[in-house]
Amino acid sequence: MRQYMKISFLLMTAVLLAACDKLSMDENVKGAPQIADFSPKSGCVGTLVNITGTELENVVEASIGGVPVQLVERVSKNLLTVKVVGAAKSGTIVLKNSVGSTESAATFTVEYPAPNVPTASIPSEVEMGNNLLISGQRMNVISKVIFTAVGMTTQHQAEVIDQNEHEIVVKIPYVESDDAQITFAYFDGKQETTTPATAFPVIKVKRYQPNVTTTTFAPVHVGDVVALDGTYLNKIEKVLLGNKECTITSQTETHLTFVVPATEDMVDGDNVKTLSIVYFDGIETKQLTDNFVVQVPFVYFWANRKVYGQGRDVPELASFFSPETGIVYHNSMWRETVDPISYAKQAATCSANQKPAVTEAEYNSVNPYFFFSGVSAGNLQINSPAGSTGQLKNFYFENNSANDYRVTGANANCYGTAVMTYLYLDPTKTDHLQLINEEKNGSLTKIDETTFPIDVTAKTCRGISISSVANSVNQTVFAPGVFTVGEEKDTDLDAYIMVFYYNVNGVGSNKAENIKRIGLLHIKHINFKLYNNTNAPSSSSITFDMYWMKHDYKYAE
């Protein structure tokens, strides 16, 4: 309580003191300012005029010949300094405060001399952007320092850094070429005039223009880092791909790297863009090439993704992969990010045995995803979320045996939303091997209606029978003879599985109908581990590459 009262007292005291200061200052203004004398009696623009008199400490405005001048310093009640500025005119001095104004008896005569700039004070060579000191006489009357490229008409005004009677310091402005004329503007009493263009020799302006020596650009992808070599590359301010600014990741005088950005108008395939650099405060732009090719894949490709089985002894607990986003999701994200529709339904039917019981909007709000689990001794399998009510409940989001930590909730049996099926590609079959080899030799660049045609009547996709696609495929099928029940094994693998994602109509009697997206899964490595000293392999990790169709399948009319 005492502390509160003390703080309140201090605040009240501060407010009262502030109020008293303002009152005392106003009380000190007893009358209008009075001018006794001033000196000098004449001068040019920039001249400091000392005014003596009374009540000068509260002057708020000053003018000479009706033209406002700058208040430089209120030295005391009896002394005030002003500065002659701009288009000043000869006349009396007028001062004004809160009470009134006064006018001098004498007249101040404004002189309009031209600046005297010796030719020797202008260097023959300067660097654009650097400061330039020019010495002479009456330099304070200069209102502008102008650089004009030889053969051009556009004038570039230099920024004045400092100025007095004997010197002026300016920043060398942008000019279009290396040779420039310098002129000085000043007020001659009637108008602003400039010194003749031929009054001073031509100045060599070192522009240090960026010069990119890289002339050949290989096709790139979004996110690639591209290097430029040359000279004065540190002067580059922007790299533009079309109209899109690229992020510069490193930059020296001779080397620059930037990241290829995505642009809104990019389409699948080759996108031909212009590549340009911007420099000199954005004034100059130079096109490096009009044939910069950004290749956008016709297929999503996700390399070296890793998921884990559902065992609670797995520290990562990241089991759910979406081929649509390329993200491996932590189990804790299943309820809100991976499959919120299924979690909201809980025990109610979501997609019962590959037949969605939700609206089309609800179904499409969930990205396709899959997961691996250990379903029996020594057997690991890939699953469809909508294939069973008994798989999702085995995934936990903490290393805790409590049922509350199941992703689906305590003991919640439920289907997932996304309907998926799988087909193992048997390398002993010619049509299967052809697709496998396309992936191996890098020629699998498209998954669309042309490269993967679906024949609903024949129940085939690109000629491969898909009548036997299943809700799950286990390792006795995709890795026969590789793993032994009760034994852990960490090994590379080379297994291929076609993946099908269905629309809201689900899987019917004809499994070639209702397919929405198509993918190819290449399983490359399995670290086969056993769960909690049992034969269950649910603590295993699986590393794979994934190819995925970028748009919904459009069936032929």
Side-chain angles (χ1 to χ4, degrees):
M1 187 66 177
R2 290 178 181 175
Q3 185 178 9
Y4 173 81
M5 291 176 65
K6 184 178 179 180
I7 293 172
S8 298
F9 175 75
L10 289 174
L11 287 172
M12 186 178 296
T13 303
V15 171
L16 288 172
L17 285 173
C20 289
D21 284 346
K22 188 175 188 305
L23 287 172
S24 63
M25 183 173 63
D26 290 340
E27 288 173 353
N28 286 335
V29 184
K30 298 177 181 179
Q34 299 298 316
I35 301 174
D37 197 7
F38 61 86
S39 66
K41 295 296 189 295
S42 63
C44 59
V45 173
T47 298
L48 295 178
V49 182
N50 293 314
I51 304 170
T52 58
T54 57
E55 303 295 338
L56 302 183
E57 77 277 20
N58 288 297
V59 169
V60 293
E61 291 181 16
S63 63
I64 299 177
V67 176
V69 294
Q70 180 183 344
L71 290 169
V72 176
E73 186 178 8
R74 300 179 187 88
V75 180
S76 68
K77 294 180 180 181
N78 308 112
L79 179 60
L80 172 69
T81 302
V82 300
K83 183 178 181 180
V84 182
V85 297
K89 296 181 180 179
S90 299
T92 58
I93 298 176
V94 176
L95 302 180
K96 182 180 179 181
N97 65 12
S98 60
V99 175
S101 63
T102 189
E103 184 177 359
S104 64
T107 297
F108 180 88
T109 302
V110 179
E111 300 170 342
Y112 305 103
N116 181 13
V117 185
T119 300
S121 70
I122 307 295
S124 60
E125 194 173 81
V126 295
E127 181 178 338
M128 198 168 75
N130 280 1
N131 288 347
L132 171 62
L133 169 65
I134 304 173
S135 301
Q137 295 176 324
R138 300 183 294 279
M139 304 299 285
N140 54 330
V141 305
I142 295 173
S143 57
K144 295 177 185 175
V145 179
I146 300 167
F147 287 76
T148 306
V150 172
M152 308 290 253
T153 58
T154 303
Q155 297 182 335
H156 302 281
Q157 184 176 336
E159 177 188 355
V160 177
I161 306 299
D162 196 16
Q163 185 177 16
N164 58 45
E165 185 179 353
H166 303 290
E167 294 177 340
I168 187 169
V169 179
V170 297
K171 181 179 179 181
I172 307 299
Y174 165 83
V175 289
E176 295 87 346
S177 65
D178 294 340
D179 294 328
Q181 296 281 1
I182 185 171
T183 55
F184 300 92
Y186 60 97
F187 188 68
D188 65 1
K190 295 181 180 180
Q191 61 184 9
E192 188 177 68
T193 187
T194 57
T195 56
T198 57
F200 303 98
V202 170
I203 298 177
K204 181 70 67 175
V205 179
K206 295 180 179 179
R207 288 164 30 98
Y208 295 122
Q209 183 176 4
N211 178 37
V212 177
T213 57
T214 304
T215 56
T216 303
F217 298 95
V220 297
H221 297 91
V222 172
D224 285 354
V225 177
V226 178
L228 302 177
D229 294 309
T231 55
Y232 305 125
L233 302 190
N234 55 318
K235 302 290 187 181
I236 294 175
E237 296 155 5
K238 294 180 183 179
V239 178
L240 298 178
L241 183 63
N243 294 322
K244 181 80 168 182
E245 184 174 350
C246 308
T247 299
I248 296 174
T249 53
S250 67
Q251 188 173 18
T252 65
E253 188 173 329
T254 59
H255 190 74
L256 181 148
T257 59
F258 66 91
V259 178
V260 178
T263 62
E264 294 179 356
D265 60 341
M266 281 188 181
V267 296
D268 292 351
D270 289 351
N271 294 262
V272 181
K273 300 283 185 179
T274 58
L275 183 68
S276 309
I277 56 173
V278 180
Y279 46 94
F280 295 159
D281 293 328
I283 298 174
E284 287 195 16
T285 299
K286 182 178 182 181
Q287 183 174 297
L288 302 181
T289 179
D290 60 359
N291 191 34
F292 190 84
V293 178
V294 182
Q295 295 179 332
V296 177
F298 287 88
V299 62
Y300 289 128
F301 174 66
W302 316 114
N304 296 316
R305 298 307 195 259
K306 181 185 286 187
V307 296
Y308 294 83
Q310 78 269 24
R312 291 188 297 274
D313 58 345
V314 180
E316 290 80 0
L317 291 175
S319 305
F320 302 102
F321 173 75
S322 171
E324 190 68 24
T325 65
I327 297 174
V328 175
Y329 295 93
H330 191 273
N331 294 4
S332 62
M333 302 178 71
W334 183 85
R335 295 180 178 183
E336 294 184 0
T337 304
V338 179
D339 202 342
I341 298 298
S342 178
Y343 182 63
K345 302 278 182 185
Q346 288 289 304
T349 298
C350 183
S351 295
N353 196 24
Q354 306 284 64
K355 296 281 188 180
V358 294
T359 67
E360 185 172 4
E362 287 175 325
Y363 184 80
N364 292 336
S365 71
V366 175
N367 282 320
Y369 68 98
F370 58 76
F371 52 89
F372 288 81
S373 61
V375 292
S376 61
N379 204 344
L380 185 70
Q381 73 177 27
I382 184 173
N383 295 282
S384 166
S388 166
T389 60
Q391 289 297 319
L392 285 168
K393 70 176 183 179
N394 294 320
F395 289 84
Y396 290 72
F397 56 83
E398 283 193 18
N399 293 311
N400 192 308
S401 60
N403 286 335
D404 287 344
Y405 292 113
R406 296 178 188 271
V407 299
T408 54
N411 295 312
N413 290 314
C414 68
Y415 290 100
T417 303
V419 176
M420 315 283 286
T421 63
Y422 310 95
L423 177 68
Y424 169 65
L425 292 179
D426 185 349
T428 64
K429 297 180 179 180
T430 302
D431 51 355
H432 290 208
L433 182 61
Q434 182 181 358
L435 177 53
I436 291 172
N437 286 337
E438 281 186 28
E439 193 279 339
K440 287 186 175 182
N441 63 31
S443 60
L444 180 60
T445 57
K446 286 186 181 182
I447 298 180
D448 60 12
E449 294 81 0
T450 302
T451 56
F452 281 72
I454 293 175
D455 187 326
V456 174
T457 303
K459 301 178 183 178
T460 61
C461 178
R462 66 169 279 159
I464 297 173
S465 174
I466 57 174
S467 59
S468 61
V469 295
N471 300 352
S472 63
V473 176
N474 64 49
Q475 67 189 33
T476 59
V477 175
F478 64 75
V482 175
F483 301 101
T484 303
V485 174
E487 294 182 8
E488 295 189 344
K489 188 173 185 178
D490 189 7
T491 183
D492 289 335
L493 210 63
D494 198 24
Y496 291 86
I497 297 174
M498 287 186 75
V499 180
F500 299 94
Y501 167 52
Y502 290 76
N503 63 29
V504 70
N505 297 315
V507 179
S509 58
N510 185 341
K511 295 180 180 180
E513 292 180 326
N514 305 328
I515 291 174
K516 189 174 183 179
R517 302 271 176 117
I518 303 167
L520 179 65
L521 175 68
H522 177 199
I523 300 175
K524 303 196 301 185
H525 189 91
I526 292 181
N527 186 1
F528 187 83
K529 288 188 175 182
L530 302 178
Y531 170 62
N532 199 23
N533 297 319
T534 69
N535 288 335
S538 57
S539 300
S540 305
S541 67
I542 303 93
T543 303
F544 55 87
D545 291 345
M546 185 80 208
Y547 299 82
W548 190 247
M549 191 173 184
K550 294 181 75 172
H551 63 265
D552 290 352
Y553 196 94
K554 298 180 181 66
Y555 290 86
E557 296 295 337

